[in-house]
C-alpha cells in the first residue's frame, strides 16, 4: 500500500511537469497569434519545438511506463485511475510508432502546413499533392501499427472522438442528409427570402467589442480567469484552468464575424473554465473530445446566439451601441438575416443549415482516401463533384474547394467529423435541457446563468473523465441520435422561411 | 580538428536549448506583469520554477563541463570562445555551491520577497529581519566558496558588474560626493527655484501614449521587433533579439511617469534590439552588465529626454496632444520643472542630481553588512543616519527608508552600485559622443538616429562580448572617470538654478 502511495506521488509529479510544459507552450501559442511583433516569430519556432519535445518525452518515458504498469487497476483514486488510462492510451499509441518515423512525420507536418499556405495563395494543388500523398501513407501506416486491418479510418477517428466509428458516422450522417436535403431544396425555392445585406453596414470595432463583452458577461465567462484579445483566426485557449483566453476578429463592415465568433469561442472557454479543480494538472483537465468541445461552442453560438429569444432580449442593447444604419431594421428582418441560408463554397462561412453538408463532403473524401481507392491526385475533382451533389454548387478554383482548410495538410484525417458531431451533440443536449427548463424563457430573461450551470453540471465539470458517447448517454438518457438536430433545424428554418 | 568542430556543434546545441528555455521564461514573465488574468497566476509559479530549473540544469550539466573543457582556448571562433568563458564562470560559480544550499537559497529568496511586500505594507522591519539575516549569511558564505577571504563584497559586485571592485567604487563615489555636495547645498538655497507643480495637471492616458510612441519612433525603437504595454512596475524585456518589449505606467495626474519612463525603458530596449545577430542564442546576446544597461536607459532619459534641445524640438508636438492647462506654460519654466532638484526619500522618485546620493547610502550599508560590522537589526537606524548625512532629510518610517527597495529581500547585494555606475558611464559616453558630433544639434534636428547609430556601433552590437570597463576604455579612450558626470551635472544645474 505504501508502494502505491509513493507511485501515485511519482505519477502526479510527472503529470505536473508535463502540464507545466503544456502551460508554457499554450502561452507561447497564444502570444504567437495575438501579441508577438512581426520579426519575433522566427526564433519562437524553436521554443515550440523544444517544449513539444519535452511533453512527448514525458508521455513516452520509462518513468511513465512504470507509473502506468504499477498503478493500472491499483490506485483507489478514481481521478488518478482515469488519468492512468489516458496516459496508457497515449503511451501505447506513441510507443507503437518507431522514433525515426515519428520525427520524420513531425517534420513533414510542419513543412506541409507551410506549403499549404503557398498552394492556397497560388491556387496550385499540384504543389501540395506530394505532401498529402506522404501524409496519407503515414496515417495508413500508423493506423496499422495501432492494430487496424481493414478499417484504418476508425483508428484515426478515435484520436479525435474516442468511441466514434465509421459505422456510427455513416448512420447519423445518412439521417442528417435524408432529413435536410429536402429542406435545403425548399428553402432555396421559398418565396420569402431573408436578406443579410441589411446587416453589412459600418459598425465601429469598439462598439462591437462593447456588445460582445456584455454577452460574455451574461454567459458567465469569468474575466478574472480570462481575457479577450484580437487575432486573425479566432480561437479559445486554456492556458491553465484559471487562465482561459478568448480571441476574436473585428470586421467593421460585418459585425457578425466578431459577435457570433466571440459567443462561439466563449462557449469553448466556459467548458475549460468550469472543469472541476480536482482535475487540474492532469491530462483530464480539458475537453473530453473535439466533438463535445464543439458542441459547447455551437450551443452558445447557434442555440442561444442565433435564437429569437436572444435578440428579443438584447436588441435594445445592440441598438444602443450600433450606428444609425441599424436603428430602423425590423426585428423579424434582422432575425431572418442572421439566419439566412445560402449554399456557399467556404465551410467557415457556411450557415447553420448547410454546415453539416460541408462536413459530409470532407468525411466521405477522407474515408475514401484512407480506406477506399481515392487517390490524392483525384481529390480536387472528387471534391467538386461532392459539392455539386450535396450543395448544388461547383467550385471554380481549388482555393474555393479542396485547398480551403488546413486540416489535411497538418495530417489531421478524422478530425472533420467532430464538427458535425458537435452539432448533433448540441441539438441532443438542447432537447434534454428543454425537458428540464424553459430554455427560451431563460434566454429571454437576459440572465443566461441557468444554462451555464446546467452545462457545467452535466458536461464541463467532468473534463476528460467521461468519454463523449458515454457522457451524451448519461446526460440525455439515449445514445447519439441525429434526429434531434434534424428536428431542431426543420422547425427553426420552416418558421423563418414560412414553409 | 574534426573533434573541435563536433564539440562546437554540441556546445551550440546546448546553448540553443538553454536559450529556448530562457525565451519561454521571459515570455511567461512578461505575461505575468502585463496580461495575465488575476486568478491565473497561482499555477504559473510552477511553470517559472520548472523553466528556471531546466536552465540551471544545463548551466551546471556534465555536458556543459565537457564542452567547456574541450573548447577552452581551442575553438577558432571568437564568439564561441567568449561564450565558453561566460559559461565557465557560470559553471564554476554554481558548482562551488552545494546543491542543497542552492535549493534552500532559492526558496529563501522567494519567501523573503513576499515577506518584504508585507513588511513594507505594514512598515514592519522586524518581520523581514530574520530573512535578511539569513540572506546576508548565505551571501557571505557564497562569496567564500567563490574564493573571497577578506573582500567578500567584491565577489558579489562581480555578479552584476564584472571587473568593478570596492576600491574603484570608493574612489568614484568619493569623486561624485565631493563634486556634488556643494552644488546640492547651493541649489537648496538658490533664489530661483523651478516649480514642478506646473506639470501636474490632468493629461489623458491616450495623449501620453501618443507622445511616448512618437518619441520611441524618433529614438529608432523598432516596433516590428517590439511593442509597448501597460504594467505596474515598468520594465523592458528581451524575449529574443527580434522581440524586445517595453512596458510603462500612465499617471493621468503626472505625465512624467509615462513619458520619462518610456524613454528610459526604450533606452534599455534599443540595447537589446541592436545586438549583433551573430550572438543570437548564446549567453552573449544580452547587455554586458547591469551598469552598462543602465547607462543606455539613463542616456536616453536624462541626457536626451531632460535636455533643453529635446524640449525645444518636441514642445510643439507635446502641446498638440496636451490639454489646455499645458498650453500657456513658459518654455524655461517647463524645462526647469522637469529638472527640479529636491531631496526626497524614495530612490525611484529622485531627481537626476540627488539620485547618486541615494545609491551611495545603499552602497555603504551593504558593504558594511557583508564585510564590515553592521548588523541587520541596526540597518534601519544606519539607513536614516546616512540619509540625513547625504541628503539632509531623515525618514520617519522604514517604508520611507530601508523597506522601500526589493533588492536586498531578493538577496541582491552588490546590485545597487550598477545604478550609479550607469550614470557615470552615460556621462562619459556623452562626453565622448560630443567629441564626435554636435549632440545638441542632433537632438534639435528631431531625428535622433545618429545617436542610436553611435550607441549601436560602440556599445549595443557587442552584447556581452566585451566587459564593461573594457568597453568604456575602448570607446572613450580612458578608464572610468566620475568627473564627466560631475562636470555635466554642475554645468546643467548651475544654468537651471542661475548659480
Amino acid at each position: 500500500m505504501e508502494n502505491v502511495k509513493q507511485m501515485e506521488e511519482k505519477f502526479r509529479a510527472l503529470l505536473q511537469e508535463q502540464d507545466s510544459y503544456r502551460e508554457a507552450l499554450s502561452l507561447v501559442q497564444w502570444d504567437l497569434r495575438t501579441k508577438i511583433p512581426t520579426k519575433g516569430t522566427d526564433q519562437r519556432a524553436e521554443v515550440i519545438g523544444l517544449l513539444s519535445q519535452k511533453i512527448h518525452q514525458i508521455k513516452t518515458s520509462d518513468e511513465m511506463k512504470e507509473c502506468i504498469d504499477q498503478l493500472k487497476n491499483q490506485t483507489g483514486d478514481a481521478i488518478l485511475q482515469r488519468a492512468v488510462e489516458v496516459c496508457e492510451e497515449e503511451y501505447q499509441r506513441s510507443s507503437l510508432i518507431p522514433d525515426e518515423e515519428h520525427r520524420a512525420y513531425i517534420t513533414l507536418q510542419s513543412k506541409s502546413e507551410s506549403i499549404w499556405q503557398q498552394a492556397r495563395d497560388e491556387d496550385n494543388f499540384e504543389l501540395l499533392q506530394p505532401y498529402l500523398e506522404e501524409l496519407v501513407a503515414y496515417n495508413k501506416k500508423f493506423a496499422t501499427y495501432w492494430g487496424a486491418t481493414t478499417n484504418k479510418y476508425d483508428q484515426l477517428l478515435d484520436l479525435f472522438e474516442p468511441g466514434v466509428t465509421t459505422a456510427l458516422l455513416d448512420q447519423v450522417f445518412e439521417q442528417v442528409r435524408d432529413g435536410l436535403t429536402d429542406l435545403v431544396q425548399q428553402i432555396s425555392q421559398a418565396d420569402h427570402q431573408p436578406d443579410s445585406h441589411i446587416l453589412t453596414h459600418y459598425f465601429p470595432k469598439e462598439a462591437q467589442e462593447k456588445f460582445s463583452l456584455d454577452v460574455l458577461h451574461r454567459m458567465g465567462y469569468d474575466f478574472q480567469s480570462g481575457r479577450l484579445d484580437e487575432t486573425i483566426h479566432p480561437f479559445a485557449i486554456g492556458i491553465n484552468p484559471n487562465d482561459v483566453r478568448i480571441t476574436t476578429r473585428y470586421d467593421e463592415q460585418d459585425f457578425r464575424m466578431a459577435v457570433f465568433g466571440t459567443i462561439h469561442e466563449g462557449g469553448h472557454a466556459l467548458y475549460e473554465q468550469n472543469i472541476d479543480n480536482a482535475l487540474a494538472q492532469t491530462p483530464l483537465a480539458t475537453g473530453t473530445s473535439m466533438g463535445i468541445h464543439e458542441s459547447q461552442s455551437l450551443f452558445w453560438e447557434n442555440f442561444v446566439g442565433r435564437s429569437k429569444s436572444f435578440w428579443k432580449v438584447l436588441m435594445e442593447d445592440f441598438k444602443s451601441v450600433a450606428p444609425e444604419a441599424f436603428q430602423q431594421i425590423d426585428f423579424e428582418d434582422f432575425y431572418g438575416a442572421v439566419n439566412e441560408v445560402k449554399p456557399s463554397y467556404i465551410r467557415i462561412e457556411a450557415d447553420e443549415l448547410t454546415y453539416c453538408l460541408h462536413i459530409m463532403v470532407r468525411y466521405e473524401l477522407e474515408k475514401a482516401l484512407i480506406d477506399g481507392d481515392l487517390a490524392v491526385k483525384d481529390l480536387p475533382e472528387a471534391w467538386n463533384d461532392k459539392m455539386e451533389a450535396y450543395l448544388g454548387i461547383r467550385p471554380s478554383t481549388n482555393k474555393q474547394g479542396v485547398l480551403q482548410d488546413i486540416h489535411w495538410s497538418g495530417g489531421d484525417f478524422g478530425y472533420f467529423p467532430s464538427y458535425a458531431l458537435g452539432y448533433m451533440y448540441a441539438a441532443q443536449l438542447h432537447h434534454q435541457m428543454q425537458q428540464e427548463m424553459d430554455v427560451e424563457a431563460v434566454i429571454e430573461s437576459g440572465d443566461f446563468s441557468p444554462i451555464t450551470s446546467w452545462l457545467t453540471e452535466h458536461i464541463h465539470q467532468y473534463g476528460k473523465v467521461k468519454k463523449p458517447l458515454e457522457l451524451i448517454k448519461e446526460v440525455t438518457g439515449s445514445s447519439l441520435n441525429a434526429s434531434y438536430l434534424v428536428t431542431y433545424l426543420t422547425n427553426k428554418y420552416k418558421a423563418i422561411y414560412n414553409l
Side-chain angles (χ1 to χ4, degrees), chain A:
Chain A
M1 205 50 206
E2 193 48 46
N3 221 348
V4 170
K5 273 270 159 285
Q6 281 170 2
M7 197 49 72
E8 283 183 1
E9 269 171 44
K10 193 174 167 183
F11 183 50
R12 277 205 186 275
L14 212 54
L15 293 183
Q16 190 178 304
E17 189 178 338
Q18 177 181 326
D19 193 62
S20 287
Y21 284 124
R22 185 210 51 73
E23 179 162 344
L25 182 60
S26 301
L27 181 66
V28 170
Q29 282 163 336
W30 171 82
D31 185 71
L32 194 64
R33 294 159 76 179
T34 54
K35 305 292 179 192
I36 199 169
T38 342
K39 294 184 192 162
T41 53
D42 282 3
Q43 206 171 297
R44 206 61 52 85
E46 285 176 26
V47 177
I48 292 175
L50 176 64
L51 296 172
S52 308
Q53 185 198 346
K54 298 311 287 186
I55 296 169
H56 182 76
Q57 279 173 0
I58 294 176
K59 279 188 204 289
T60 58
S61 65
D62 293 343
E63 290 92 329
M64 182 58 87
K65 177 85 169 73
E66 192 196 356
C67 291
I68 294 167
D69 289 345
Q70 298 289 318
L71 292 175
K72 205 175 158 183
N73 307 318
Q74 284 295 325
T75 167
D77 181 327
I79 289 172
L80 275 195
Q81 197 52 255
R82 173 70 183 130
V84 169
E85 233 178 274
V86 170
C87 289
E88 188 182 20
E89 280 168 25
E90 289 176 346
Y91 180 86
Q92 288 188 333
R93 253 192 207 117
S94 303
S95 61
L96 290 169
I97 298 178
D99 269 1
E100 63 282 11
E101 288 187 27
H102 178 259
R103 267 199 302 277
Y105 184 67
I106 297 287
T107 311
L108 175 64
Q109 274 180 318
S110 95
K111 204 158 188 174
S112 170
E113 284 189 6
S114 70
I115 292 288
W116 166 76
Q117 198 80 48
Q118 194 191 339
R120 193 184 62 161
D121 291 350
E122 299 171 5
D123 195 27
N124 180 354
F125 180 77
E126 281 70 30
L127 198 62
L128 186 64
Q129 188 184 318
Y131 295 90
L132 281 184
E133 283 166 352
E134 264 201 88
L135 287 165
V136 168
Y138 266 117
N139 271 277
K140 286 182 176 182
K141 211 197 248 183
F142 293 169
T144 315
Y145 290 150
W146 297 332
T149 48
T150 47
N151 277 357
K152 298 194 186 73
Y153 185 67
D154 276 358
Q155 286 288 345
L156 304 180
L157 276 178
D158 212 60
L159 290 174
F160 303 99
E161 210 60 27
V164 168
T165 59
T166 313
L168 177 63
L169 284 180
D170 283 343
Q171 177 209 317
V172 291
F173 277 142
E174 192 183 334
Q175 234 179 324
V176 172
R177 193 170 40 236
D178 290 352
L180 296 185
T181 310
D182 267 8
L183 182 63
V184 173
Q185 185 69 13
Q186 286 173 45
I187 281 175
S188 69
Q189 291 158 2
D191 291 336
H192 174 70
Q193 292 287 344
D195 178 10
S196 66
H197 287 101
I198 60 169
L199 305 177
T200 51
H201 297 293
Y202 174 73
F203 199 138
K205 186 179 120 172
E206 292 70 24
Q208 293 187 38
E209 189 185 13
K210 193 164 183 290
F211 183 73
S212 302
L213 289 173
D214 177 31
V215 177
L216 284 173
H217 277 292
R218 287 172 192 266
M219 288 168 67
Y221 175 77
D222 178 1
F223 281 91
Q224 291 198 295
S225 297
R227 47 179 293 129
L228 174 65
D229 293 275
E230 275 189 73
T231 190
I232 295 174
H233 301 289
F235 62 98
I237 189 165
I239 298 175
N240 72 41
N242 290 308
D243 185 1
V244 183
R245 306 185 186 186
I246 304 177
T247 62
T248 194
R249 181 175 167 185
Y250 299 98
D251 176 346
E252 295 199 316
Q253 295 307 322
D254 192 343
F255 74 88
R256 290 175 296 178
M257 164 90 79
V259 168
F260 292 113
T262 305
I263 300 174
H264 181 98
E265 302 306 336
H268 282 303
L270 284 181
Y271 192 177
E272 299 278 331
Q273 279 190 339
N274 293 323
I275 290 172
D276 187 347
N277 269 332
L279 307 182
Q281 300 202 294
T282 77
L284 310 178
T286 185
T288 189
S289 71
M290 300 305 306
I292 296 290
H293 232 305
E294 199 67 14
S295 78
Q296 298 308 296
S297 53
L298 290 174
F299 189 97
W300 283 101
E301 180 189 349
N302 292 331
F303 293 79
V304 178
R306 289 186 209 267
S307 72
K308 198 173 243 183
S309 308
F310 179 88
W311 289 105
K312 266 190 204 158
V313 66
L314 287 180
M315 188 49 82
E316 206 174 310
D317 285 12
F318 180 80
K319 286 192 174 173
S320 77
V321 299
E324 187 53 37
F326 291 88
Q327 302 304 326
Q328 299 311 318
I329 300 180
D330 171 74
F331 179 78
E332 290 294 335
D333 290 346
F334 182 93
Y335 171 64
V338 298
N339 286 292
E340 185 192 39
V341 173
K342 207 183 205 168
S344 60
Y345 297 112
I346 305 297
R347 175 182 62 86
I348 59 166
E349 294 168 6
D351 58 79
E352 200 182 6
L353 193 57
T354 59
Y355 189 87
C356 282
L357 302 174
H358 284 264
I359 299 306
M360 283 181 231
V361 167
R362 288 154 179 77
Y363 165 62
E364 293 180 9
L365 293 173
E366 59 183 24
K367 209 169 50 164
L369 279 172
I370 302 295
D371 281 328
D373 50 13
L374 177 61
V376 169
K377 73 169 168 41
D378 299 325
L379 203 47
E381 209 52 26
W383 179 288
N384 294 347
D385 291 347
K386 289 240 178 259
M387 282 296 287
E388 203 164 354
Y390 287 164
L391 284 129
I393 54 175
R394 191 177 185 89
S396 55
T397 64
N398 287 325
K399 200 170 169 176
Q400 264 186 344
V402 69
L403 287 176
Q404 70 182 266
D405 285 316
I406 195 174
H407 304 58
W408 290 342
S409 310
D412 290 339
F413 298 90
Y415 185 136
F416 279 120
S418 313
Y419 292 118
L421 286 167
Y423 259 100
M424 298 175 207
Y425 294 149
Q428 192 161 339
L429 292 171
H430 184 252
H431 178 264
Q432 182 60 31
M433 198 187 283
Q434 291 276 29
Q435 314 306 305
E436 302 178 30
M437 69 174 97
D438 184 342
V439 180
E440 298 310 307
V442 168
I443 298 175
E444 278 181 44
S445 79
D447 170 10
F448 307 156
S449 61
I451 294 176
T452 309
S453 300
W454 193 95
L455 292 170
T456 296
E457 187 194 337
H458 292 97
I459 308 282
H460 301 168
Q461 63 163 324
Y462 297 111
K464 227 181 175 118
V465 170
K466 302 184 179 185
K467 295 184 187 176
L469 294 178
E470 177 189 336
L471 192 60
I472 290 298
K473 182 84 193 264
E474 276 191 29
V475 183
T476 68
S478 67
S479 308
L480 173 63
N481 186 336
S483 69
Y484 297 107
L485 179 61
V486 172
T487 306
Y488 157 77
L489 290 172
T490 306
N491 293 340
K492 175 170 177 181
Y493 286 92
K494 282 201 163 173
I496 291 172
Y497 281 83
N498 298 338
L499 296 171

